[in-house]
Amino acid sequence: VSFNHPRNVRFQCLECAICCGDTETRVRHILLLTIEANRISISTSKPIEEFATKIGDHAPYAYEMKKTVKEGKCVFLEKKRCIIYPLRPLICRFYPFELKITRNGKYEFLYTKECPGIGNGERLAKGYFKNLLEQLKISNM
């Protein structure tokens, strides 16, 4: 699969959990594929409606993760830790990167500078982004 990725970008997760909820300047939409919602439901023994809302305008995503009313954080975030980490949605696995499809049908990775982990850690090689694409393929199985 052919794709473009950011060159010379450094990233290391600082475990700040900014990606897990709303900020002063941004309302976060944690979107889920149907298969992801089903996996979480089975693993947690919770009906999907308890942790996600059905959506219809963000294909291929079918659900949006619910957030706590007071803090606007993902319902699976406890003390800055994801309690479903091995099952976390693809959108969470990709953050702070986002996969777009260009007009010519090519995949392109973009990133947000709101993440304080950008600029830290090692310079990411093409293999890092190739691994993210593999996760996309696996998550759709």
Side-chain angles (χ1 to χ4, degrees), residues 80-119:
K80 291 190 178 182
R81 296 274 184 219
C82 178
I83 61 172
I84 60 161
Y85 191 79
L87 299 169
R88 71 194 184 284
L90 193 62
I91 204 164
C92 300
R93 293 172 192 269
F94 273 42
Y95 190 88
F97 302 98
E98 180 181 4
L99 185 63
K100 295 283 188 180
I101 300 176
T102 63
R103 286 189 178 136
N104 63 4
K106 192 172 186 176
Y107 289 113
E108 180 176 26
F109 283 98
L110 307 172
Y111 66 94
T112 177
K113 292 182 181 178
E114 80 173 344
C115 175
I118 291 290

Side-chain angles (χ1 to χ4, degrees), residues 29-47:
H29 299 279
I30 304 167
L31 305 177
L32 300 141
L33 300 167
T34 300
I35 195 166
E36 293 172 324
N38 288 331
R39 283 184 195 139
I40 293 168
S41 177
I42 290 166
S43 178
T44 62
S45 299
K46 294 181 180 190

Side-chain angles (χ1 to χ4, degrees), residues 11-134:
F11 171 67
Q12 179 179 356
C13 180
L14 302 178
E15 298 180 10
C16 67
I18 194 173
C19 55
C20 302
D22 300 340
T23 66
E24 289 181 21
T25 58
R26 186 170 178 197
V27 174
R28 182 99 41 225
H29 299 279
I30 304 167
L31 305 177
L32 300 141
L33 300 167
T34 300
I35 195 166
E36 293 172 324
N38 288 331
R39 283 184 195 139
I40 293 168
S41 177
I42 290 166
S43 178
T44 62
S45 299
K46 294 181 180 190
I48 294 171
E49 300 76 33
E50 193 171 312
F51 62 85
T53 304
K54 184 85 170 148
I55 58 172
D57 58 346
H58 285 86
Y61 300 102
Y63 296 92
E64 182 170 345
M65 192 73 77
K66 290 184 178 181
K67 295 179 277 187
T68 59
V69 176
K70 189 175 178 183
E71 293 115 6
K73 301 292 182 186
C74 175
V75 294
F76 291 113
L77 186 69
E78 290 183 6
K79 298 179 184 172
K80 291 190 178 182
R81 296 274 184 219
C82 178
I83 61 172
I84 60 161
Y85 191 79
L87 299 169
R88 71 194 184 284
L90 193 62
I91 204 164
C92 300
R93 293 172 192 269
F94 273 42
Y95 190 88
F97 302 98
E98 180 181 4
L99 185 63
K100 295 283 188 180
I101 300 176
T102 63
R103 286 189 178 136
N104 63 4
K106 192 172 186 176
Y107 289 113
E108 180 176 26
F109 283 98
L110 307 172
Y111 66 94
T112 177
K113 292 182 181 178
E114 80 173 344
C115 175
I118 291 290
N120 291 292
E122 297 181 19
R123 188 172 324 233
L124 301 179
K126 185 175 184 174
Y128 179 89
F129 298 97
K130 190 174 180 182
N131 182 45
L132 290 179
L133 281 176
E134 282 297 312

